[in-house]
Amino acid sequence: MDYLTGRCALVTGGSRGIGRAIALALAAAGADIAVNYRERQADAEAVASEIRACGRRAAALAADVASSSEVKRLVAAVESTLGPIDILVNNAGVAWPVTLDTLDTSVWDDTIAINLTSAFLVTQAALPGMRARRWGRIVNISSTAAQIGGIIGPHYAASKAGMIGMTHGYASLLAGQGITANVVAPALIETDMLRGNDRARPDIVPIGRFGRVEEVAEAVVMLARNGYMTGQTINVNGGAYMS
């Protein structure tokens, strides 16, 4: 087990919801946190302030992680502000519910870019430093939609399934270099994103309730601490999918 005191973590999409909970949980475990956001500066700054109140360093850093040039700038800003990235949590994403009749290539392309390509871009940018230090933790936030289809649509399910395959690729290539890559796959977690979908109901969850963001964050902290688990998908879904 590796503990996290003094480690630097980058959490994409860290200004609210699951990302915010992950940032706060990693800070409570001892890490310094870069809170990435695209538009919600006030929310990201509030998260950073909470982290500093816990005695850890924090920075709120704007970047569109679907843009290669902005990702390079983001990683450079993290390194200059907080130090080398030890823990990367690819959490940024969108969930646009559509019907089969309204799903088009623009929704498909944007979803893949924001949910999947962004994780690839940030991982590629953070990896050289991890490999040089022979220590790193990559945690990708997927979804149970990757396994059962979900309630958003094929575009979302495909983007989240791609994250799992991508994680397997990194885990196999990085095994033995001190770097792990794993997935957390939540389902029906109570966030603003969930509340915007009228198909989301607690009665469709076997356990009978929506999940809490803190329950997802606990799984991320566990993976960040553990140096022996790699290539795994941790399901936080109330029993919606059992592996």
XYZ file of all heavy atoms in Angstrom, residues 3 6 12 19 40 43 83 89 91 103 107-108 111 122 132 141-142 151 166 186 198 209-210 212:
191
model
N 0.734 5.337 0.517
C -0.097 6.399 1.041
C 0.226 7.695 0.325
O 1.231 7.814 -0.354
C 0.062 6.477 2.554
C -0.496 5.223 3.186
C 0.331 4.147 3.472
C -1.845 5.083 3.412
C -0.187 2.964 3.992
C -2.370 3.909 3.932
C -1.535 2.856 4.224
O -2.055 1.693 4.728
N 1.725 14.223 0.367
C 2.676 14.920 -0.477
C 2.575 14.591 -1.951
O 3.270 15.202 -2.770
N -9.628 16.052 -13.330
C -10.318 16.813 -14.378
C -11.804 16.869 -14.061
O -12.372 15.948 -13.475
C -10.088 16.206 -15.768
O -10.763 14.947 -15.873
C -8.601 16.006 -16.037
N -16.413 14.760 -9.335
C -15.052 15.301 -9.358
C -14.703 16.057 -8.095
O -13.601 15.925 -7.554
N -16.673 26.596 -14.823
C -17.167 26.915 -13.475
C -16.030 27.347 -12.549
O -15.675 26.655 -11.608
C -17.918 25.709 -12.908
C -19.179 25.370 -13.692
C -19.814 24.090 -13.184
N -21.054 23.806 -13.850
C -22.266 24.184 -13.395
N -22.365 24.842 -12.257
N -23.353 23.906 -14.078
N -16.908 27.715 -8.742
C -17.050 26.411 -8.088
C -15.687 25.770 -7.857
O -15.426 25.188 -6.793
C -17.912 25.478 -8.939
C -19.371 25.899 -8.991
O -19.783 26.682 -8.109
O -20.079 25.467 -9.902
N 3.743 20.833 -8.626
C 4.759 19.803 -8.787
C 4.310 18.720 -9.748
O 3.210 18.776 -10.307
N -6.815 11.646 -12.246
C -8.195 11.166 -12.270
C -8.891 11.816 -13.464
O -9.149 13.028 -13.464
C -8.946 11.493 -10.971
C -10.364 10.914 -11.032
C -8.199 10.943 -9.759
N -11.926 12.492 -14.935
C -13.326 12.524 -14.526
C -14.194 13.394 -15.432
O -15.404 13.198 -15.481
C -13.416 13.037 -13.081
C -14.831 13.388 -12.684
O -15.656 12.516 -12.443
N -15.134 14.688 -12.625
N -30.232 11.313 -32.048
C -28.788 11.084 -31.963
C -28.175 11.283 -33.340
O -28.528 10.587 -34.293
C -28.514 9.669 -31.455
C -27.056 9.227 -31.396
C -26.235 10.152 -30.507
C -26.950 7.783 -30.902
N -23.566 15.089 -31.868
C -23.654 14.641 -30.473
C -22.651 13.516 -30.235
O -21.956 13.477 -29.203
C -25.084 14.181 -30.148
C -25.146 13.545 -28.759
C -26.056 15.350 -30.227
N -22.577 12.568 -31.161
C -21.628 11.459 -31.051
C -20.194 11.981 -30.941
O -19.456 11.621 -30.017
C -21.775 10.532 -32.252
C -20.778 9.409 -32.267
C -19.489 9.461 -32.736
C -20.959 8.085 -31.751
N -18.866 8.254 -32.561
C -19.739 7.391 -31.966
C -22.030 7.422 -31.162
C -19.570 6.063 -31.578
C -21.856 6.090 -30.792
C -20.643 5.425 -30.999
N -19.426 13.918 -27.690
C -19.388 13.036 -26.520
C -18.091 12.240 -26.482
O -17.449 12.130 -25.428
C -20.604 12.088 -26.527
O -21.803 12.861 -26.508
C -20.578 11.165 -25.316
N -4.955 13.768 -21.678
C -4.369 14.114 -20.375
C -3.433 13.005 -19.911
O -2.357 13.271 -19.355
C -5.473 14.402 -19.335
C -4.838 14.844 -18.017
C -6.421 15.486 -19.831
N 9.201 8.598 -15.734
C 10.547 8.991 -15.299
C 10.732 8.720 -13.808
O 11.812 8.318 -13.372
C 10.777 10.466 -15.605
N -12.796 7.562 -14.765
C -14.180 7.454 -14.305
C -15.061 7.116 -15.509
O -15.340 7.963 -16.359
C -14.661 8.750 -13.627
C -13.680 9.161 -12.513
C -16.068 8.542 -13.066
C -13.456 8.110 -11.438
N -15.476 5.866 -15.557
C -16.333 5.376 -16.629
C -17.774 5.370 -16.130
O -18.209 6.296 -15.440
C -15.865 3.986 -17.071
O -16.685 3.463 -18.078
N -28.996 4.717 -19.483
C -30.206 5.492 -19.788
C -29.897 6.769 -20.558
O -30.797 7.585 -20.771
C -30.964 5.837 -18.488
C -30.094 6.686 -17.557
C -31.448 4.579 -17.785
C -30.822 7.195 -16.319
N -9.313 1.475 -23.115
C -8.114 2.293 -23.053
C -7.332 2.019 -21.769
O -6.086 1.905 -21.784
C -8.489 3.776 -23.128
C -7.300 4.733 -23.127
S -7.824 6.466 -23.132
C -8.572 6.597 -21.507
N -19.309 4.145 -11.978
C -20.492 4.411 -11.157
C -21.774 4.286 -11.977
O -21.766 4.286 -13.209
C -20.297 5.865 -10.713
C -18.991 6.320 -11.304
C -18.645 5.375 -12.398
N -34.889 12.607 -16.642
C -36.120 12.117 -16.027
C -36.256 10.599 -16.088
O -37.197 10.030 -15.517
C -37.352 12.786 -16.643
C -37.475 12.574 -18.143
O -36.720 11.745 -18.701
O -38.320 13.246 -18.771
N -31.730 2.980 -3.976
C -31.449 4.412 -3.815
C -30.373 4.834 -4.800
O -29.665 4.002 -5.367
C -30.968 4.727 -2.394
C -29.627 4.104 -2.019
C -29.103 4.650 -0.700
N -27.890 3.989 -0.248
C -26.648 4.307 -0.627
N -26.449 5.282 -1.501
N -25.608 3.643 -0.147
N -30.236 6.150 -4.997
C -29.127 6.681 -5.758
C -27.838 6.592 -4.929
O -27.878 6.609 -3.689
C -29.370 8.143 -6.138
C -30.493 8.345 -7.109
C -31.363 9.418 -6.955
C -30.680 7.483 -8.175
C -32.399 9.629 -7.852
C -31.719 7.679 -9.078
C -32.578 8.750 -8.912
N -24.086 8.006 -3.596
C -23.549 9.291 -3.159
C -22.171 9.514 -3.770
O -21.405 8.566 -3.959
C -23.448 9.335 -1.625
C -24.804 9.220 -0.920
C -24.666 9.434 0.586
N -23.864 8.397 1.201
C -24.339 7.235 1.663
N -25.628 6.951 1.542
N -23.544 6.354 2.222
